[in-house]
Amino acid sequence: MQQKLKIAIQKSGRLYEDSVKLLKDCGIDVKNGINKLKTEAENFPLEIYFLRDDDIPQYVEDGVADIGIVGENVMYEKNKKAFIVEELGFGKCRLSIAVGRKDDYTGVGFLQGKRIATSYPILVEKFLAEKGISAEIHEISGSVEIAPGIGLADAIVDLVSSGSTLFMNGLKEVETVLKSQAVLIRNEKLRADQLQLLDRLLFRIRAVKKAKNNKYVLLNAPNNKLQEIIALLPGMKSPTVLPLAEPGWSSVHSVLSEDRFWDIIEQLKDAGAQGILVIPIEKMII
Ligand code: PRT
Ligand code: ZN
């Protein structure tokens, strides 16, 4: 029987949907995991375990799961023996220190001798030690943002994405302890056959990520502006140029990366490009 690779993903919560979507985008069929501990992919030798995110690093360290998807915040807080193999680009947030909106915060010195509520005592302790601050850490497991309001703490350290939770609780973000996103982690001692499966999966994940960060662009260009327009397009190699039925015009096809996208589109328009079409790419293999 063919060996299977075992992956642990969050059972429900903020990482669940993106984790399943990533596997689906990799062409791996995942049956819905609600109320299930485990399922098998039909078209890739993968067993999927649905777990609480906090437990995933331990399962991967123990080898119950070979790989897992978890936030860096959990990975570093749990401090288990596992490797990060790939950043996945979703579940982005930051672990931040917040104090009362009216507090006169001028720097980390503000925290000296204060009470800090958090679900991330290890990361907070490390941050404070690096800054030479000693403070009282109160570990609480949820609703950290209400701690200052009920007199339990002077500051909190919690995950922030939009900032609205802090705002609604009369707090302001003052320091970033860690920037986090979902990552793929692996057990330290995978066998050769498991590593081979991981490589196949990683190849697909990277193709999906690359595609997400790029767009396919088609545009029409007057032939006398072609050189200028082509010079603006980085592309995978050189762009494809095809003659249009209308004399003196060409169609140019290329790939643009998301981060420079709007910049380049504006320059293309200024250089005389017309009828610009932008199309998402599903997979990108180079
Ligand atoms: O049940 P289980 O233990 O698996 O889930 P959980 O409740 O512990 O975690 P969950 O589903 O809330 O989050 C899973 C992971 O998502 C986290 O470990 C992070 O890696 C990532 N993530 C990304 C976030 C956020 N963004 C986020 N904003 N996790 C939590 N939050 C919370 C934060 O704690 C705060 O309460 O959202 C609130 C702040 O959001 P804003 O938008 O108001 O700033
Ligand atoms: Zn959790």
Side-chain angles (χ1 to χ4, degrees), residues 50-249:
F50 300 99
L51 300 167
R52 283 200 58 201
D53 66 346
D54 314 69
D55 297 333
I56 291 175
Q58 183 72 60
Y59 275 83
V60 172
E61 175 180 311
D62 294 344
V64 176
D66 305 314
I67 58 175
I69 295 178
V70 74
E72 286 172 289
N73 51 306
V74 172
M75 175 66 187
Y76 292 126
E77 178 67 24
K78 300 294 174 193
N79 206 11
K80 300 292 174 196
K81 288 201 205 80
F83 296 135
I84 293 181
V85 256
E86 187 78 10
E87 294 179 339
L88 299 175
F90 59 83
K92 285 191 177 167
C93 57
R94 48 201 188 272
L95 184 66
S96 293
I97 303 181
V99 299
R101 202 174 304 144
K102 297 204 177 105
D103 285 340
D104 184 20
Y105 185 92
T106 49
V108 282
F110 173 92
L111 301 167
Q112 183 66 35
K114 296 270 186 356
R115 296 162 306 158
I116 304 176
T118 188
S119 310
Y120 294 87
I122 307 274
L123 287 172
V124 174
E125 212 153 302
K126 190 165 161 255
F127 178 87
L128 294 177
E130 275 165 16
K131 306 281 178 194
I133 303 289
S134 87
E136 235 179 81
I137 298 175
H138 289 255
E139 183 178 355
I140 49 179
S141 58
S143 305
V144 173
E145 65 280 357
I146 65 169
I150 58 173
L152 188 73
D154 308 301
I156 66 162
V157 180
D158 199 11
L159 297 175
V160 181
S161 42
S162 68
S164 65
T165 303
L166 293 183
F167 183 81
M168 283 188 302
N169 286 280
L171 301 170
K172 63 179 175 190
E173 194 177 350
V174 290
E175 303 281 345
T176 305
V177 173
L178 177 80
K179 280 195 179 154
S180 178
Q181 62 176 298
V183 286
L184 185 73
I185 60 171
R186 57 158 273 211
N187 174 276
E188 286 187 329
K189 296 185 197 123
L190 293 185
R191 297 187 312 265
D193 60 320
Q194 294 169 318
L195 283 172
Q196 220 172 20
L197 283 177
L198 175 58
D199 273 349
R200 280 181 64 199
L201 181 63
L202 268 177
F203 177 76
R204 296 186 187 194
I205 289 176
R206 287 176 182 148
V208 169
K209 268 177 64 186
K210 191 118 196 122
K212 251 187 220 139
N213 293 332
N214 286 277
K215 298 274 181 268
Y216 193 75
V217 178
L218 298 103
L219 58 86
N220 295 331
N223 286 347
N224 60 356
K225 295 287 176 66
L226 259 181
Q227 286 319 315
E228 196 184 333
I229 285 172
I230 288 171
L232 292 168
L233 293 167
M236 276 162 82
K237 283 217 169 78
S238 63
T240 308
V241 180
L242 302 163
L244 286 187
E246 190 177 330
W249 283 81

